Amino acid sequence: MTSRQSTQTMKPATAAKKLGVYLEATPAEFREGVVSRDELNALQADPPAWLRDLRREGPHPRPVVAAKLGISISGLARGGVTEALTTEQIESLKQENPDWLVRERATQAEVRKEAVRLKDKEKNAEK
């Protein structure tokens, strides 16, 4: 008896998330179909022009926007950013450096500092 392996597929939203792109900005054929694991791997290994353009210019999904700004996704919401932004818009925000962005970056720095402190504390407790 031979075992037959079924092809793993995922919804376009899942594939877009794994690729780090904004689903609504992807081509219609990507949004309307399903993506196999092999297709996803091929897109990651050798991205087509549309994927390279999206990664470079956006619009970017909120997790990517937050990472590029050095803040949390919650910080984006507190700052009133609820939609995807292009690279140009992100750079503009960095240049403007509004008060809410300064506050959120400081908050994120404190969170990171606390995480390091707790990790060090945990390491010292194991000794």
Side-chain angles (χ1 to χ4, degrees):
M1 229 167 38
T2 60
S3 67
R4 214 172 141 176
Q5 195 173 18
S6 64
T7 304
Q8 268 188 320
T9 59
M10 61 193 82
K11 294 178 182 175
T14 304
K17 189 174 184 178
K18 289 179 180 285
L19 292 169
V21 295
Y22 186 56
L23 177 64
E24 285 75 16
T26 60
E29 58 270 10
F30 181 85
R31 288 192 311 269
E32 294 165 1
V34 293
V35 180
S36 72
R37 174 68 60 190
D38 290 338
E39 290 169 330
L40 179 69
N41 291 339
L43 286 170
Q44 289 172 325
D46 186 23
W50 65 264
L51 182 53
R52 288 192 306 270
D53 290 345
L54 271 179
R55 285 178 170 168
R56 184 178 51 254
E57 299 166 11
H60 302 287
R62 290 178 342 124
V64 174
V65 173
K68 285 180 179 272
L69 291 173
I71 63 175
S72 68
I73 296 171
S74 300
L76 276 180
R78 286 189 292 271
V81 178
T82 57
E83 68 281 339
L85 298 179
T86 63
T87 300
E88 187 177 313
Q89 291 169 314
I90 293 168
E91 291 305 316
S92 175
L93 259 178
K94 285 180 179 179
Q95 292 298 316
E96 292 169 20
N97 207 22
D99 290 342
W100 68 267
L101 183 55
V102 172
R103 278 193 312 274
E104 292 303 330
R105 284 181 167 167
T107 300
Q108 192 67 14
E110 286 299 316
V111 167
R112 288 186 185 118
K113 197 162 122 179
E114 180 65 6
V116 168
R117 186 190 70 78
L118 291 174
K119 189 174 181 181
D120 288 346
K121 183 179 176 181
E122 189 177 295
K123 276 185 184 177
N124 291 334
E126 290 174 1
K127 290 182 181 179

